[in-house]
Amino acid sequence: MRVGGRIVREILYDLTSMTRPGITTWDLEVTARKRFSEKKARPAFMGYRGFPAALCTSINEEVVHGIPSPRRVLKSGDILKIDVGLYYKGFYTDMAVSIPVGDVDEEKLRLLNVARGALRAGIDKAKVGNRLGDISHAIQMPAEEAGFSVVREYTGHGIGRHLHESPQIPNFGPEGSGPRLKPGMVFALEPMVNAGTWETRVLGDDWTVVTVDGRCSAHFEHTVAIMEEGSQILTDYRM
Ligand code: MG
């Protein structure tokens, strides 16, 4: 999974590097498919419950599960979320980032920073002896203290031989609750933080999740392994 995580990180780095106003989300998809085949890895989302692409690309009020399209042109001021899942030698890894396109206003940048910080806070609690709810709570607090909300209908998840394994990891909830964390567990932690209400709906394409109030959303995700000697981010990544 560490090798798979490194490949995901490299692919995502290439995609974020090429992101700028004027390209389409399909351009990102084409590059991703090329990288997957070079790395002899399989895109985990392609065909998952019929999903038609290697990437989820979601813009602004789109929260997650947006479908890349040659008609979606990125423009300055957008927030783009790219989510990539990978299958490599029997194991899955999963990662997402939110990136500003061109010149983005202060409030959107603040949303990105808070969502990134919420993921970091959750990862800090992902260690042996803590409980699952400690992660959920640690993600929720900084998001809500900043005046934002966390999405309720979609959660983080266990990951390994399957893309989505139990348990679900809500991005909210009481600390001290849920199962105890043990060495060998691997989680995809993925806060989705909304500027306005946490409520979402699914568009007519049956995939794209949007905020009901049309306000912006940010999403960051890492695959994290619980280890005796301290947890490891298998998809660790710096912009
Ligand atoms: Mg995930």
Side-chain angles (χ1 to χ4, degrees), residues 158-181:
I159 184 167
R161 290 206 177 268
H162 301 277
L163 178 60
H164 295 120
E165 298 183 356
S166 63
Q168 291 193 342
I169 305 157
N171 292 307
F172 63 96
E175 55 190 338
S177 63
R180 260 191 213 290
L181 306 182

Side-chain angles (χ1 to χ4, degrees), residues 21-34:
I23 72 159
T24 69
T25 53
W26 187 253
D27 295 329
L28 296 165
E29 172 74 14
V30 169
T31 297
R33 289 186 190 187
K34 205 180 296 170

Side-chain angles (χ1 to χ4, degrees), residues 83 94 157 164 188 190 221:
D83 196 343
D94 198 355
H157 50 94
H164 295 120
E190 50 177 323
E221 177 176 27

Side-chain angles (χ1 to χ4, degrees), residues 20 49 120 144 149 159 171 175 189 207 211 223:
R20 61 180 181 278
R49 297 185 181 174
R120 176 60 55 178
E144 293 188 350
S149 65
I159 184 167
N171 292 307
E175 55 190 338
L189 303 180
W207 280 108
T211 57
T223 298

Side-chain angles (χ1 to χ4, degrees), residues 5 19 42 46-48 102 207 214:
T19 295
R42 184 163 69 74
M46 181 88 77
Y48 182 85
W207 280 108

